[in-house]
Amino acid sequence: MDIIRVEGGHAIEGRVCVSGAKNSALKLMAATLLAPGTTTLQNVPNISDVHVMGKVLKRMGAVIEVVDEHTLTIDTSGVDSWEAPYELVAKMRASTAVMGPLLGRFGCAKIAMPGGCNLGARKIDMHILGLEALGVEFDTDHGYIHAKAPHGLTGTSVTLEFASVGATENLIMAAVKAKGATVIDNAAREPEIVDLANMLNEMGAKIFGAGTPVVTIEGVEELKPVTHRAVGDRIEAGTFIVAAALAAGPAGVEVVGFNPIHLGMVIKKFEAMGIRVERIENGVRVFKCERFEPVDIQTLPFPGFPTDMQAQMMTLSALADGNSIITENIFENRFMFASELVRMGADIRVEGHHAMVHGVSGFSGAQVTSPDLRGGAALAVAGLVAEGYTEVSAIYHIDRGYERFVEKLSSLGAVVERVAVADPTDD
Ligand code: EPZ
């Protein structure tokens, strides 16, 4: 079992380049099912979730070549199965992103029902309701969802009850091959969805309005493979910005490889806390903030404050000069991070969807456990300024979404290492 050990008190400086966005790359990979032939994806992060999505596609008959660490070719011409098996869906819920493309190409899909995770129930009822409107029939047995479109997919209007990222993506990927036009109202607007729509349009799809609440898709007969570069990971970038705000040396830290416009609300909140964020070519330069103003946060669908930055923001608020309130509106259970940060000396009280954060003067290093990939990364970042050593366990969560996280932090001067330790439960 590996842990991350951080020694607090060392300044970080220099430049870190974030990887391609996990939450785009996984969907781009799934979307290659819609275009028989070989699609080349560039700027793909080398993370475990990408490896799992690769296994899902290979299980269906796709042939994947790793051209270099961040470039994949995916040949889906030979795909002859349309099942996402339990053991892979259970490992990674995002495997459900193959449902839309499978329906778009084959008119059927067999997907293991996604379990919940430590963020909450993670249902897919909105995916199903929207796809049923397109003519898909569903039944479930033995833990699998069986989807089929006996009369093909027919474009229609769908209004999402909530601007679900996954539901918007699955609906777009099914609708691109439907007969006629589909209009999705209350669509999610995340930059990763725009990236997906851009690639699909490069393939020959006709998608209009991605990134706005109303997305229109005119069905086409055929999509062709392309070469496409994934957008930079805005959440990884936000994580390193928090690290810099806490621990940067006098020269600051450059965080590049992403579009700051994709972090608009987050940067606005950073600046409200007193953090200096300078725009530079392909990213930002961030300076250490000596005194954080308290700030209230509501996590919301894009362009609102992203839930994937909630733990990182809580880390900053925990050291602010006053009280902050963080409200988590996206997931029903995404405050497990708070109890780990309390072990490091934070003063946080959780009541339902609200966390009351009372700023303290500093953290003390402790042994803590990653609750999820963002919380795990935030704990390691908190360790940069904690007194003494912080040891973060369950770092497989971090490996799901952060490529070379330890190497990137240590390249900036952090004293951090990945250490193999005996599993304490081994007798
Ligand atoms: C995507 O998850 C991201 N994952 C999440 O990132 C991110 O936190 C989330 O969007 C919100 O931005 C990937 O893209 C792989 P949703 P997704 O559908 O698509 C409920 C990370 O850290 N819901 O917008 O699952 C759902 O339970 C991960 O990288 C339904 O109830 O998000 C959740 O509470 C964590 N029924 C909320 O909506 C549905 O049919 C948001 O879900 C669909 C969703």
Side-chain angles (χ1 to χ4, degrees):
M1 167 179 106
D2 287 357
I3 62 162
I4 289 175
R5 180 178 294 141
V6 192
E7 183 182 13
H10 299 274
I12 58 174
E13 282 189 342
R15 166 182 285 216
V16 59
C17 183
V18 300
S19 302
K22 166 177 89 78
N23 294 348
S24 176
L26 294 176
K27 310 341 159 35
L28 298 175
M29 290 174 75
T32 63
L33 289 164
L34 286 159
T38 300
T39 290
T40 299
L41 296 180
Q42 299 166 331
N43 203 31
V44 176
N46 182 12
I47 53 176
S48 57
D49 271 10
V50 163
H51 306 153
V52 173
M53 183 57 87
K55 289 196 175 88
V56 171
L57 295 175
K58 285 182 209 163
R59 189 71 73 87
M60 293 174 184
V63 175
I64 299 180
E65 299 288 328
V66 178
V67 176
D68 63 41
E69 189 179 9
H70 301 120
T71 306
L72 302 179
T73 61
I74 304 179
D75 179 356
T76 62
S77 45
V79 167
D80 57 3
S81 153
W82 27 87
E83 176 177 342
Y86 172 72
E87 65 274 13
L88 292 175
V89 176
K91 224 170 152 64
M92 185 185 66
R93 185 183 176 281
S95 311
T96 54
V98 300
M99 186 157 58
L102 286 172
L103 287 163
R105 174 157 171 202
F106 299 108
C108 59
K110 180 183 175 188
I111 313 283
M113 293 170 84
C117 72
N118 46 17
L119 299 182
R122 305 299 295 273
K123 298 181 298 183
I124 59 168
D125 52 322
M126 289 186 262
H127 301 233
I128 290 173
L129 277 174
L131 290 167
E132 283 176 336
L134 288 172
V136 181
E137 294 171 7
F138 287 88
D139 68 54
T140 57
D141 71 355
H142 303 297
Y144 276 81
I145 296 169
H146 300 268
K148 57 180 180 306
H151 311 296
L153 299 173
T154 306
T156 185
S157 288
V158 176
T159 299
L160 290 176
E161 185 181 331
F162 169 84
S164 152
V165 171
T168 303
E169 291 164 336
N170 258 330
L171 283 172
I172 288 174
M173 291 191 279
V176 293
K177 294 291 294 296
K179 282 188 288 300
T182 298
V183 178
I184 305 171
D185 202 349
N186 196 25
R189 301 167 55 185
E190 275 67 6
E192 294 77 24
I193 295 178
V194 176
D195 194 29
L196 173 63
N198 288 341
M199 185 184 81
L200 289 167
N201 283 340
E202 290 154 21
M203 289 176 157
K206 289 183 180 160
I207 304 167
F208 309 96
T212 76
V214 181
V215 180
T216 301
I217 306 107
E218 287 173 14
V220 295
E221 283 295 313
E222 188 188 11
L223 295 181
K224 294 191 180 310
V226 294
T227 293
H228 182 81
R229 180 182 176 78
V231 289
D233 195 317
R234 61 192 169 106
I235 304 299
E236 183 186 4
T239 307
F240 280 106
I241 292 171
V242 167
L246 287 168
V253 173
E254 291 186 353
V255 183
V256 297
F258 79 107
N259 180 346
I261 292 175
H262 295 165
L263 267 187
M265 183 62 75
V266 179
I267 291 173
K268 195 170 154 195
K269 289 292 183 179
F270 285 157
E271 290 170 339
M273 294 188 85
I275 299 166
R276 195 170 128 215
V277 182
E278 273 177 13
R279 294 287 192 286
I280 60 173
E281 171 83 17
N282 196 23
V284 294
R285 180 184 292 111
V286 186
F287 296 88
K288 178 174 179 171
C289 181
E290 297 300 340
R291 183 185 168 280
F292 296 109
E293 289 295 330
V295 71
D296 291 347
I297 298 286
Q298 292 264 3
T299 67
L300 288 166
F302 192 87
F305 191 92
T307 174
D308 294 347
M309 279 298 299
Q310 184 245 97
Q312 301 90 318
M313 186 54 93
M314 188 179 283
T315 303
L316 294 181
S317 309
L319 297 175
D321 196 3
N323 299 328
S324 303
I325 297 179
I326 296 179
T327 304
E328 172 57 56
N329 296 304
I330 306 295
F331 290 105
E332 56 262 40
N333 176 30
R334 198 169 196 172
F335 280 140
M336 287 159 65
F337 167 78
S339 48
E340 295 303 309
L341 203 61
V342 164
R343 292 178 50 71
M344 295 178 69
D347 178 353
I348 304 169
R349 201 174 74 248
V350 173
E351 280 178 19
H353 282 257
H354 304 284
M356 266 58 86
V357 186
H358 176 76
V360 295
S361 57
F363 295 139
S364 63
Q367 290 167 299
V368 288
T369 303
S370 299
D372 65 54
L373 70 157
R374 307 303 174 186
L379 287 168
V381 165
L384 296 175
V385 291
E387 188 272 320
Y389 285 93
T390 297
E391 296 189 341
V392 185
S393 60
I395 60 173
Y396 56 88
H397 283 298
I398 301 176
D399 293 337
R400 291 188 49 193
Y402 288 88
E403 178 185 332
R404 299 183 191 286
F405 188 57
V406 168
E407 292 86 336
K408 286 176 180 173
L409 280 175
S410 47
S411 73
L412 294 173
V415 178
V416 55
E417 56 182 344
R418 189 184 188 106
V419 181
V421 297
D423 185 331
T425 56
D426 286 348
D427 50 18

